[in-house]
Amino acid sequence: MQEGLDDGPDFLSEEDRGPRAVNVDLQTDATLQVDISDALSERDKVKFTVHTKSTLPNFKQNEFSVVRQHEEFIWLHDSFVENEEYAGYIIPPAPPKPDFDASREKLQKLGEGEGSMTKEEFTKMKQELEAEYLAIFKKTVAMHEVFLCRVAAHPVLRKDLNFHVFLEYNQDLSVRGKNKKEKLEDFFKNVVKSADGVLVAGVKDVDDFFEHEKTFLLEYHNRVKDASAKSDRMIRSHKSKFLFSISYFYGHSPLPLSCFQTLFPVQKIEARVAADEDLKLADLLKYYLRESQAAKDLLYRRGRALADYENANKALDKARAKNKDVLQAETTQQVCCQKFEKISESAKQELIDFKTRRVAAFRKNLVELAELELKHAKGNLQLLQSCLGVLKGDT
Amino acid sequence: SNDAENTAAHHRNTLQFNTYSHRKQLFSVCVTLSEATEEVSLDSPERQPILSDGPSPVITPVTPVMISSRADVFDRSPDQDEDEEENRDTFDIQISVSDPEKVGDGMNAYMVYKVLTKTSLSIFSRDEVCVKRRFSDFLGLHSKLASKYMHMGYIVPPAPEKSIVGMTKVKVGKEDLSSVEFVEKRRSALERYLLRTVKHPALLKDPDVLQFLESSELPRAVSTQALSGAGILRMVNKAADAVNKMTIKMNESDAWFEEKQQQFENLDVQLRKLHASVESLVCHRKELSVNTASFAKSAAMLGNSEDHTALSRALSQLAEVEEKIDQLHQDQACADFYLISELLGDYVRLITAVKGVFDQRMKTWAKCQDAQVMLQRKREAEAKLQHANKPDKLQQAKDEIREWEGKVQQGERDFEQISKNIRREVGRFEKDRVKDFRVVIIKYLESLVHTQQQMIKYWEAFLPEAKAIA
């Protein structure tokens, strides 16, 4: 029984970080709780402190922490993907690589251009860029944390040995990043997979459930991809918008001081609205882009298993016809059959859970998005109205 | 009145009574007593409607009609003076510029605007006058007013700028959005220009202004064309002015002027920066609008493919909300632009006019200085001739001295007058500036308020849909 797990990356303001509310309506499982308690951003890498609390006998202690880097998360993810035993599960998508390049570049440019702007402008821009950097940082921490939590919540994956090593082994796992050769191999594997994917997707499934899921997922995945890209663009242009800086007026026009003091917060509020939208909407879509890909991968694996099964059947028929190597063919066929049925059974449950998770995550994030938008709009409104009151009353 | 206080301590040799005349007040009377001669002159600017370029005013006979109608204007009860002096809101003249019409075809085409004046002021011959004017008419009016009043220190409101690109599109007949916008921008700018011009108490009574607003036929202002003889002369003069500005080193004895000039320099810089940043804001809002619309469509598609019914419905609702918000952004961009950007543009140009007036004062001072130098030379020449035995030349020298003494006095008077005028003009300008900005900021904030209220409505409608996802 899979707990209803909310996958929306949920790092909000400081208040929400308290009980590390990543998972919504998760029956808090005391047997294994994983979180990222700290993170350090260095020049070209991020160091995550993975903190585990567990009552399971597998671990030496009840509570412990290790430091991990992004490559080690990827290693763990790939080990799941390559493990035949897990073929019937949706493998939680790997967290994206931390990318501070853009932000760092901007900060650098700002430093270079320091001489050409006023002190005020410089401080303001620096603050904005630092906030942006911090937001990206928080996001990458949350993505890595969500991955671990999903694994920890999965009834089968949580028992994985590699996972336990990942959590407990307090030395470097020495998993260097893939070299060029391996990356190339991956590339070809993916090409083959997608060709296969087309092939497999083309075969009509006997099982209605899976047939429906296939059609649904293919379309859904594409639409999520599109929505994710468009929401990114929208939010980027939202961020570059600013309430025009009325500070110039202040120096030269005897308008009431209180008016300007209220207008500056409005400007800040607009910036925060953009950040919240980013979280709720864009990150949600991005995450489900990856999840739906993982679900598609599951269907692919099942499709492969089905193809293997059907091939094994054909081979068995041939063997029986020729009366040669029948036993071997029978064994192969049995194995394929079992594999296929095992995958199908778990896949069905996984896909049902995927839907439940997805609906819950969207609901939570859409509700929170609406509530935040309302909160900010109301806040803005109040500020604007008080400012208007001051201006109008001052004749 | 204010001006009395301002100028009372100013000239130690002068006794001035000056009730500055607003349309509702009495004539301004300025009595100057100089040391040398007991001279009484009526030196009211309002009574010198037509002037040449030189500082010595040439009083041209004015048609009796004008004088009497002006007397009517000032024939108000004196007790209204005090409380209504500041109350420009009851300034009883409304001007609208509307109904742009294209006349002609191709590169000779031009836009004609309807100028409607509604007023109860008696300097106007009718309560309501409607005339048709083209852009060059406005430029011509400004040109005339500038040549008449600027050298006296009056801040003549600048006319809207020419735009070859904008007009060419209109001429060529492009009916697209940008040329429609251009015409609307121009129409609005012309209206603001006229309103500012008539708000100036001296300019309101100027016969050129009255003619512009009232007479059905107006001689074509050819000299406003950039490549006309007058246009080229203007360019040459501007260049000469720029050179002169660099060479005139004025001995500023009046701290007020020094301070004000610096203030206007700063304001100029700030306004230009702000103008640029508002234009970029408008750009961004438009970009945001495009991206929001695109996202809305995408969200609708996602909603369609979602197989959970309630979530599907909520996503479609989200798409609708985003579409509506897109519309809000577009409307806001309009508000941003028209309300603020145009005002800022106006003020950038106005500040240029203000700076021009300060320059005129410098020029007047320089002229005064030059006259003093000449006088000195003439005196020296006369002193030399004292010892030569040339009685004719001596007499001529003495005559010249008297002539230049007169010029020096006139120069000093002009300098006094322009300084006084500028103080008054700047005071009026600052008051108007505060008012203008306040009005526009209020309007802008109100439009922001409206946007927020709409956003609240949309999200409040959406929230139950999101919560209904089960």
Side-chain angles (χ1 to χ4, degrees):
Chain A
M1 221 315 268
Q2 187 129 334
E3 296 100 341
L5 186 58
D6 164 49
D7 291 309
D10 205 63
F11 61 95
L12 292 168
S13 51
E14 294 312 294
E15 315 116 78
D16 303 80
R17 290 227 84 164
R20 209 47 72 104
V22 174
N23 312 319
V24 83
D25 58 293
L26 168 69
Q27 294 114 324
T28 37
D29 189 346
T31 55
L32 182 60
Q33 278 178 315
V34 184
D35 67 277
I36 296 184
S37 58
D38 196 9
L40 185 64
S41 164
E42 291 183 358
R43 171 142 276 276
D44 53 354
K45 54 183 176 241
V46 181
K47 293 195 170 140
F48 303 96
T49 306
V50 179
H51 168 249
T52 316
K53 255 204 214 152
S54 174
T55 56
L56 292 176
N58 319 54
F59 300 108
K60 297 195 195 72
Q61 298 165 293
N62 278 353
E63 189 167 349
F64 48 90
S65 290
V66 295
V67 176
R68 292 283 172 246
Q69 291 184 37
H70 176 71
E71 287 75 26
E72 291 161 312
F73 286 76
I74 300 301
W75 164 82
L76 182 61
H77 171 263
D78 290 348
S79 76
F80 291 150
V81 170
E82 286 156 15
N83 191 332
E84 287 284 329
E85 285 296 311
Y86 303 144
Y89 306 119
I90 295 181
I91 309 295
K97 189 171 157 78
D99 182 14
F100 296 100
D101 287 344
S103 192
R104 244 186 237 127
E105 210 180 289
K106 278 191 212 166
L107 272 168
Q108 193 169 9
K109 271 208 190 110
L110 179 66
E112 285 166 11
E114 183 173 357
S116 67
M117 55 177 86
T118 70
K119 194 161 192 300
E120 293 175 348
E121 285 173 346
F122 179 73
T123 343
K124 192 162 88 92
M125 281 220 69
K126 186 153 169 278
Q127 277 177 358
E128 275 176 22
L129 285 179
E130 282 176 350
E132 201 180 288
Y133 191 93
L134 187 64
I136 297 177
F137 186 67
K138 276 191 187 169
K139 215 197 297 186
T140 195
V141 166
M143 294 285 169
H144 287 74
E145 190 176 74
V146 157
F147 169 71
L148 293 178
C149 292
R150 282 265 280 123
V151 175
H154 195 283
V156 175
L157 295 176
R158 80 208 310 238
K159 300 191 201 127
D160 182 84
L161 189 60
N162 283 336
F163 184 48
H164 291 181
V165 167
F166 177 94
L167 289 176
E168 200 178 21
Y169 184 61
N170 58 9
Q171 304 283 344
D172 197 348
L173 288 174
S174 294
V175 290
R176 74 231 170 351
K178 295 186 175 167
N179 64 22
K180 224 191 246 174
K181 178 159 170 277
E182 284 167 340
K183 283 200 182 127
L184 213 59
E185 280 172 0
D186 266 356
F187 172 71
F188 281 119
K189 244 194 269 179
N190 278 329
V191 170
V192 168
K193 187 156 93 174
S194 56
D196 269 0
V198 169
L199 183 72
V200 165
V203 174
K204 184 160 171 23
D205 209 311
V206 181
D207 189 333
D208 277 343
F209 174 81
F210 283 104
E211 187 55 33
H212 166 82
E213 285 298 308
K214 225 189 297 178
T215 334
F216 165 72
L217 269 176
L218 280 172
E219 191 186 58
Y220 187 79
H221 176 79
N222 287 337
R223 300 230 172 137
V224 164
K225 200 192 291 191
D226 187 55
S228 174
K230 301 264 163 71
S231 81
D232 273 349
R233 219 179 297 155
M234 175 177 82
I235 280 151
R236 256 203 306 273
S237 53
H238 202 112
K239 271 190 182 150
S240 64
K241 177 183 90 166
F242 63 96
L243 192 69
F244 89 129
S245 132
I246 313 186
S247 59
Y248 292 123
F249 280 135
Y250 174 54
H252 300 279
S253 171
L255 285 175
L257 173 61
S258 50
C259 179
F260 296 107
Q261 287 177 334
T262 52
L263 282 173
F264 283 128
V266 174
Q267 191 171 349
K268 281 209 207 117
I269 283 181
E270 295 230 348
R272 211 165 354 120
V273 170
D276 288 336
E277 279 179 5
D278 197 0
L279 297 184
K280 297 295 151 204
L281 212 46
D283 288 351
L284 175 71
L285 290 170
K286 251 188 243 138
Y287 190 78
Y288 274 89
L289 179 59
R290 290 201 296 278
E291 275 269 353
S292 55
Q293 182 63 52
K296 269 170 67 180
D297 290 345
L298 170 61
L299 281 182
Y300 163 74
R301 289 195 293 272
R302 178 178 170 277
R304 280 254 63 157
L306 178 58
D308 288 345
Y309 180 34
E310 283 174 350
N311 287 340
N313 270 341
K314 288 202 194 103
L316 180 59
D317 287 340
K318 243 205 266 179
R320 281 192 179 139
K322 286 194 191 154
N323 209 359
K324 192 181 164 194
D325 297 322
V326 174
L327 193 58
Q328 190 183 18
E330 274 179 353
T331 342
T332 318
Q333 194 254 26
Q334 283 273 18
V335 165
C336 285
C337 176
Q338 271 170 358
K339 183 165 164 214
F340 173 68
E341 281 176 356
K342 179 163 168 250
I343 290 182
S344 283
E345 193 184 318
S346 60
K348 190 163 192 165
Q349 190 56 49
E350 288 278 308
L351 288 168
I352 290 171
D353 291 341
F354 171 63
K355 179 164 172 172
T356 317
R357 272 202 316 274
R358 182 175 82 246
V359 172
F362 268 81
R363 181 189 190 281
K364 175 168 181 277
N365 282 286
L366 286 177
V367 167
E368 283 177 3
L369 171 69
E371 286 173 346
L372 273 169
E373 293 270 4
L374 274 171
K375 178 169 147 216
H376 289 130
K378 285 181 178 161
N380 276 0
L381 186 62
Q382 207 172 27
L383 278 175
L384 289 166
Q385 280 171 334
S386 82
C387 193
L388 266 174
V390 171
L391 270 179
K392 282 182 171 167
D394 177 66
T395 31
Chain B
S1 81
N2 289 344
D3 276 298
E5 295 154 44
N6 281 346
T7 55
H10 187 57
H11 201 299
R12 56 186 172 83
N13 290 334
T14 310
L15 190 63
Q16 291 181 331
F17 302 102
N18 189 350
T19 53
Y20 167 59
S21 133
H22 188 58
R23 60 191 166 91
K24 293 189 198 265
Q25 288 183 320
L26 304 172
F27 275 113
S28 116
V29 171
C30 173
V31 180
T32 59
L33 297 161
S34 70
E35 272 182 335
T37 52
E38 303 269 296
E39 215 178 325
V40 174
S41 62
L42 282 170
D43 202 2
S44 151
E46 292 86 283
R47 288 180 112 221
Q48 291 164 348
I50 301 162
L51 297 159
S52 65
D53 289 303
S56 12
V58 170
I59 300 180
T60 330
V62 181
T63 66
V65 175
M66 289 303 161
I67 291 180
S68 58
S69 54
R70 226 176 292 126
D72 281 346
V73 172
F74 299 125
D75 226 293
R76 304 265 201 250
S77 52
D79 41 58
Q80 280 184 309
D81 291 353
E82 294 313 307
D83 38 81
E84 287 192 284
E85 196 200 311
E86 306 302 323
N87 200 355
R88 301 272 175 80
D89 303 84
T90 64
F91 185 56
D92 195 8
I93 175 169
Q94 290 168 30
I95 299 187
S96 70
V97 174
S98 58
D99 303 323
E101 242 181 78
K102 185 162 155 199
V103 172
D105 264 317
M107 288 312 289
N108 290 327
Y110 57 92
M111 296 299 282
V112 157
Y113 302 87
K114 189 170 93 174
V115 178
L116 173 66
T117 309
K118 284 195 195 146
T119 176
S120 62
L121 295 174
S122 43
I123 41 171
F124 290 89
S125 52
R126 304 196 283 285
D127 280 353
E128 217 178 280
V129 189
C130 188
V131 294
K132 291 215 163 127
R133 295 284 178 254
R134 55 184 289 192
F135 184 65
S136 55
D137 294 334
F138 290 82
L139 292 182
L141 174 65
H142 172 258
S143 168
K144 285 194 205 141
L145 294 177
S147 69
K148 281 200 260 181
Y149 294 104
M150 252 192 78
H151 70 87
M152 292 203 305
Y154 282 33
I155 301 172
V156 176
E161 277 171 349
K162 292 197 214 183
S163 164
I164 298 178
V165 174
M167 262 328 276
T168 310
K169 273 205 226 166
V170 172
K171 286 181 187 184
V172 164
K174 276 186 100 178
E175 283 293 322
D176 65 349
L177 189 64
S178 69
S179 46
V180 168
E181 266 181 27
F182 171 78
V183 171
E184 171 52 32
K185 249 171 71 178
R186 176 159 278 193
R187 181 210 67 78
S188 176
L190 291 173
E191 194 174 88
R192 291 195 306 274
Y193 164 67
L194 284 181
L195 283 168
R196 283 212 179 90
T197 304
V198 299
K199 248 180 24 182
H200 193 299
L203 297 180
L204 171 61
K205 294 171 240 121
D206 183 278
D208 285 318
V209 171
L210 293 172
Q211 184 188 39
F212 181 90
L213 291 175
E214 286 194 317
S215 70
S216 45
E217 286 297 317
L218 205 63
R220 176 91 192 281
V222 188
S223 63
T224 59
Q225 285 163 350
L227 292 179
S228 65
I232 293 183
L233 188 61
R234 258 199 305 278
M235 279 195 278
V236 168
N237 282 339
K238 257 198 196 156
D241 277 352
V243 170
N244 279 340
K245 225 166 115 176
M246 289 191 277
T247 53
I248 295 176
K249 222 16 190 162
M250 178 161 164
N251 223 349
E252 188 57 81
S253 53
D254 193 337
W256 186 91
F257 281 93
E258 209 173 311
E259 200 186 290
K260 279 297 168 191
Q261 257 182 303
Q262 190 57 51
Q263 269 182 29
F264 281 114
E265 282 297 327
N266 294 343
L267 187 57
D268 192 14
V269 168
Q270 299 289 28
L271 277 178
R272 281 175 202 273
K273 262 202 227 172
L274 189 52
H275 192 207
S277 70
V278 171
E279 304 223 299
S280 97
L281 167 66
V282 169
C283 220
H284 281 135
R285 276 217 211 271
K286 288 194 174 152
E287 189 191 315
L288 175 60
S289 160
V290 163
N291 290 339
T292 308
S294 152
F295 172 71
K297 286 203 187 77
S298 186
M301 294 285 279
L302 184 64
N304 277 345
S305 67
E306 172 59 63
D307 64 352
H308 185 275
T309 343
L311 177 55
S312 167
R313 192 170 49 237
L315 284 170
S316 307
Q317 293 286 76
L318 179 69
E320 268 181 45
V321 168
E322 295 286 351
E323 253 178 52
K324 289 192 202 147
I325 289 179
D326 164 37
Q327 192 55 52
L328 275 181
H329 285 144
Q330 282 185 39
D331 296 342
Q332 187 65 60
C334 263
D336 290 348
F337 186 77
Y338 280 115
L339 287 180
I340 291 165
S341 174
E342 289 288 273
L343 177 73
L344 290 175
D346 284 354
Y347 267 87
V348 164
R349 282 193 294 278
L350 265 168
I351 300 267
T352 310
V354 172
K355 292 207 288 190
V357 140
F358 277 96
D359 289 345
Q360 287 290 335
R361 179 172 171 269
M362 264 201 336
K363 270 173 47 177
T364 311
W365 178 85
K367 213 159 183 168
C368 188
Q369 293 296 98
D370 291 345
Q372 282 181 349
V373 164
M374 273 311 277
L375 177 62
Q376 186 60 28
R377 270 200 219 142
K378 296 297 176 191
R379 284 196 173 136
E380 285 167 8
E382 192 241 13
K384 280 204 198 128
L385 283 171
Q386 289 281 4
H387 304 297
N389 199 9
K390 296 184 183 154
D392 306 329
K393 285 238 168 102
L394 191 59
Q395 185 53 45
Q396 182 188 20
K398 286 198 200 283
D399 289 338
E400 283 179 354
I401 286 178
R402 245 203 310 282
E403 181 196 336
W404 281 98
E405 277 175 349
K407 286 199 179 158
V408 165
Q409 273 170 19
Q410 185 60 51
E412 284 175 350
R413 267 203 301 275
D414 290 339
F415 183 71
E416 285 300 319
Q417 188 61 46
I418 194 177
S419 301
K420 191 179 81 175
N421 287 346
I422 290 179
R423 280 173 181 267
R424 188 185 60 222
E425 288 286 287
V426 164
R428 207 174 53 85
F429 173 82
E430 311 245 83
K431 272 205 211 113
D432 284 346
R433 174 167 69 102
V434 170
K435 249 204 243 151
D436 276 353
F437 276 126
R438 185 167 159 277
V439 164
V440 164
I441 288 181
I442 287 178
K443 278 215 200 107
Y444 177 66
L445 291 180
E446 285 176 341
S447 91
L448 282 181
V449 161
H450 175 257
T451 303
Q452 298 302 313
Q453 285 170 332
Q454 288 300 106
M455 299 260 290
I456 289 174
K457 259 209 270 179
Y458 298 151
W459 289 110
E460 277 181 345
F462 174 73
L463 189 56
E465 288 288 339
K467 287 189 170 161
I469 302 170

